[in-house]
Amino acid sequence: MSNCFEVTQGAPLPLGSSVQNQGVNFALYAPNASQAFVCLFDKSGHTEILKIAMNINEGGVWSIHIAPLSTGALYGFRVDGEYSPEKGMLFNEHKLLIDPYAKDLFNEFTWSERHYGQMPLYNTVNQFVGGALALISGFSVGREGPSVHMGAAGASILANKLHLPHNAMRTLSGCGVAAGIAASFNTPLAAVIFVMEVVLREYKVHIFVPIMLAAVTGALATQFVFGEGSELALISIAPLSGWHYPYLVLCGMGLGAVAYAFNQNLMLIIKTFKPLSMFPRLIIAGCIASLIAYAVPQAMGSGMSAITIAVESPENMQLLTTILIAKLLATLFAIGLGIPGGLIGPVIGLGVLTGTLMAFFAQFISPGTDIAGTYGVLGMAGLLAATLHSPLAALTTVMELTSSPEIIVPAMIVITTAYVTALQVFGNRSIFLQQLDFQGLPYHVSPATEALQKVGVMDDMDEDFKLLYSDDKEQIKNSLDAMDSQTPLILSLIHI
């Protein structure tokens, strides 16, 4: 197909595509859209060769005439505009739309059920194998990524095998995520809170109990194989006096700003390199990682390696600053370019490094006291809360990993300040939700839809009724008189 076309205004009618004047006229009714496009594809149907903006007409119809073009051309629409599910606005330019007036569809169209917790197996295999290779190669990604995908995919496959309804499948997938996180960090309580706060975004008892059991199972499996220790066990926690609290507020504000900058730059990298296919992005990621590894090898690997460095050299400001900058770049480009792996691990490492650097000025408040470890943990808590929008999960993570009650009040101060600063001052949003928005995957559910999704037809069905096979009025009247007002009568009229 040639890319040399003559494009003119087009006619608003008829809607759909129609052959006119040695070309094809496209018309689409979308009165609330800000822009509509018609996209042409090659003969394989996989490569988009042309994207042309359509013109708006009176009555909310967008149209364009393209020549030379004939019957059999492969096309689709893209429509941009407001995305407000509560208003019924679901515009997303990244989604290819089917012409409702199309005469035929190219290739097979399959309805997707991913919104109900079903996960494709190939994606899980890719995450597991790719994540393992990425961690072995030293990329700055978290080890929880493959675990979470395996847990969620296993739960999804089990739900399919048992023919569970969609509402149960969603809960079971949440159980798989909780088990994966608990197994990765040996933090069952934090895994439960994270799933309720970030993944499912609701707190219900009937959901809480199975997720809690799954998290316990994942943690017990990890403890059985690797023992009960954690990376933060290397950090010594010293109690902080009340004189530190004003400085902790400033630290929280700084962490909120860092979280905002991290999320914005990560999304910028994702959007910038999105037009490239996966292979060129992997090559670019490998080259960048090689350069960083050559210059600052301590910055590579999961975030847990940074904890060891912060514990061993808390007084070396130059080394910690260099590692922090290098690890920040390594994480942004690894995750942004699509390297399989998790985000939580690197954020934990970045938070510990940032908090340890903040402890340098806190030493003037408590001279002679080793507080670098305490501030490292607080930095991790604040950055987790502000980046992922999970303040409660960040607090429980700190409590579980340190087993220190002295850290609770300072952590609450830092987490609250960081979260409020990122949200209210900078308008920061969860990095996961920003990625969903960019990919065009809806996550807003109306209250009515949410309530209906939780109701099973069999559970809500009333089986106390009387079925009458008759069209005799007298028999129907007698049946109604003999029944109480609470029992419904179903008539099956007989026609001969």
Side-chain angles (χ1 to χ4, degrees), residues 307-329:
I307 297 176
T308 305
I309 298 172
V311 171
E312 294 176 349
S313 307
E315 73 290 339
N316 195 334
M317 295 284 292
Q318 183 177 359
L319 175 63
L320 293 179
T321 304
T322 304
I323 295 176
L324 174 62
I325 296 174
K327 187 160 192 64
L328 182 61
L329 293 174

Side-chain angles (χ1 to χ4, degrees), residues 237-472:
I237 305 299
L240 300 178
S241 66
W243 295 104
H244 285 266
Y245 293 171
Y247 181 63
L248 291 179
V249 173
L250 296 177
C251 292
M253 296 173 63
L255 289 167
V258 171
Y260 169 74
F262 179 85
N263 286 1
Q264 289 296 108
N265 283 280
L266 180 57
M267 291 307 303
L268 177 62
I269 294 174
I270 292 175
K271 294 175 181 178
T272 301
F273 291 94
K274 178 64 176 179
L276 297 180
S277 61
M278 192 62 189
F279 184 73
R281 280 187 283 149
L282 293 178
I283 296 298
I284 295 173
C287 294
I288 294 175
S290 300
L291 293 175
I292 296 176
Y294 177 78
V296 189
Q298 299 93 329
M300 305 310 294
S302 68
M304 303 308 163
S305 58
I307 297 176
T308 305
I309 298 172
V311 171
E312 294 176 349
S313 307
E315 73 290 339
N316 195 334
M317 295 284 292
Q318 183 177 359
L319 175 63
L320 293 179
T321 304
T322 304
I323 295 176
L324 174 62
I325 296 174
K327 187 160 192 64
L328 182 61
L329 293 174
T331 302
L332 287 173
F333 281 102
I335 301 296
L337 290 171
I339 297 296
L343 181 63
I344 299 177
V347 170
I348 289 177
L350 291 170
V352 171
L353 289 172
T354 306
T356 305
L357 289 171
M358 290 178 174
F360 176 79
F361 300 100
Q363 292 177 356
F364 297 103
I365 303 175
S366 300
T369 305
D370 184 13
I371 55 175
T374 305
Y375 270 82
V377 173
L378 295 177
M380 175 201 76
L383 196 60
L384 268 179
T387 303
L388 309 182
H389 270 218
S390 55
L392 191 54
L395 179 60
T396 52
T397 300
V398 169
M399 294 166 55
E400 284 190 292
L401 291 178
T402 62
S403 302
S404 175
E406 294 87 1
I407 201 71
I408 296 177
V409 174
M412 293 175 71
I413 294 174
V414 173
I415 288 172
T416 303
T417 310
Y419 181 77
V420 172
T421 300
L423 180 63
Q424 299 297 331
V425 178
F426 296 101
N428 188 39
R429 299 172 61 239
S430 168
I431 185 61
F432 298 129
L433 297 186
Q434 292 188 52
Q435 290 177 340
L436 290 177
D437 283 339
F438 176 70
Q439 297 174 23
L441 300 177
Y443 52 88
H444 293 287
V445 180
S446 66
T449 303
E450 183 179 0
L452 290 173
Q453 286 179 348
K454 295 180 174 62
V455 178
V457 176
M458 297 299 296
D459 292 336
D460 205 49
M461 184 182 293
D462 186 3
E463 299 181 1
D464 185 15
F465 63 90
K466 183 175 181 180
L467 181 62
L468 179 63
Y469 291 92
S470 175
D471 58 356
D472 183 79

